[in-house]
């Protein structure tokens, strides 16, 4: 039904076509990627931190702006899932992430150390001390639970970058 992946793009060329799916990408390394959807959706320049969503059935090609890039991509059946993809720059301020009880979510750290824990209830410094710490290349996976979840995410010293992917099932 869905897939989350990291991919390197080393040369210009076409994307695979996935009829019946929606795709969302965020550039995580490199200068940029020019994405052309032709008559289906026009052209866009992909760069950090703006994600780009498009129909997987479109004939899509990409051109490197200035050397190889890497992206984090999410693909899901468009009749069953909605994708929310968010690039997060963390410095002195953190971010609050929300997951409904039926959602799936992935937090993937790109740089710096990230602290993540339940939202609110304690001063920010205490929440960072009690939180799960993630290093670059590490991820936390959240799967459906009995109740909604709010998470506070902070850089644990300095600056950090992460990507949050949320998959929300459509009502049956």
């Amino acid at each position: 039904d869905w897939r989350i992946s990291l991919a390197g793009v080393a040369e210009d060329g076409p994307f695979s076509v996935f009829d019946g799916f929606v795709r969302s990408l965020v550039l995580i390394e490199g200068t940029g990627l020019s994405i052309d959807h032709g008559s289906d959706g026009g052209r866009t320049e992909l760069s950090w931190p703006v994600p780009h969503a498009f129909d997987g059935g479109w004939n899509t090609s990409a051109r490197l702006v200035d050397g190889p890039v890497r992206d984090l991509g999410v693909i899901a059946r468009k009749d069953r899932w909605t994708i929310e993809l968010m690039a997060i720059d963390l410095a002195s301020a953190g971010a609050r992430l929300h997951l409904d009880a039926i959602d799936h979510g992935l937090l993937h750290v790109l740089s710096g150390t990230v602290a993540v824990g339940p939202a609110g209830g304690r001063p920010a410094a205490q929440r960072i001390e009690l939180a799960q710490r993630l290093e670059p290349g590490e991820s936390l996976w959240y799967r459906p639970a009995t109740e909604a979840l709010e998470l506070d995410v902070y850089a644990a010293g300095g600056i950090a970058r992460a990507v949050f992917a949320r998959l929300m099932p459509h009502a049956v």
Side-chain angles (χ1 to χ4, degrees):
D1 273 2
W2 51 263
R3 179 184 78 196
I4 299 174
S5 61
L6 296 171
V9 180
E11 59 187 39
D12 300 347
F15 278 39
S16 299
V17 174
F18 292 101
D19 282 322
F21 286 79
V22 63
R23 298 177 76 164
S24 191
L25 304 172
V26 65
L27 198 68
I28 61 171
E29 288 179 12
T31 303
L33 191 64
S34 178
I35 298 176
D36 187 354
H37 302 294
S39 61
D40 292 316
R43 177 173 287 182
T44 191
E45 299 294 323
L46 187 63
S47 61
W48 176 269
V50 181
H52 176 62
F54 60 97
D55 190 302
W58 290 351
N59 289 315
T60 299
S61 62
R63 184 182 55 77
L64 297 166
V65 172
D66 185 24
V69 299
R70 281 182 19 125
D71 67 72
L72 186 140
V74 183
I75 182 170
R77 289 191 179 279
K78 63 181 168 184
D79 62 341
R80 295 187 186 171
W81 299 93
T82 297
I83 299 168
E84 179 181 281
L85 188 59
M86 187 169 54
I88 308 168
D89 277 311
L90 299 165
S92 57
R96 180 155 293 170
L97 306 177
H98 176 83
L99 290 158
D100 288 329
I102 58 175
D103 295 346
H104 291 267
L106 176 85
L107 178 68
H108 181 72
V109 178
L110 302 173
S111 65
T113 300
V114 171
V116 59
R122 297 176 186 258
Q126 285 182 332
R127 287 197 307 268
I128 290 174
E129 284 303 312
L130 297 172
Q132 168 81 37
R133 283 185 168 22
L134 298 173
E135 300 297 331
E138 294 182 333
S139 302
L140 272 182
W141 178 251
Y142 300 93
R143 57 184 181 194
T146 56
E147 60 186 46
L149 178 64
E150 294 233 329
L151 300 169
D152 282 339
V153 181
Y154 296 91
I159 297 172
R161 279 188 169 178
V163 176
F164 178 64
R166 177 180 175 197
L167 290 140
M168 300 165 282
H170 296 174
V172 178

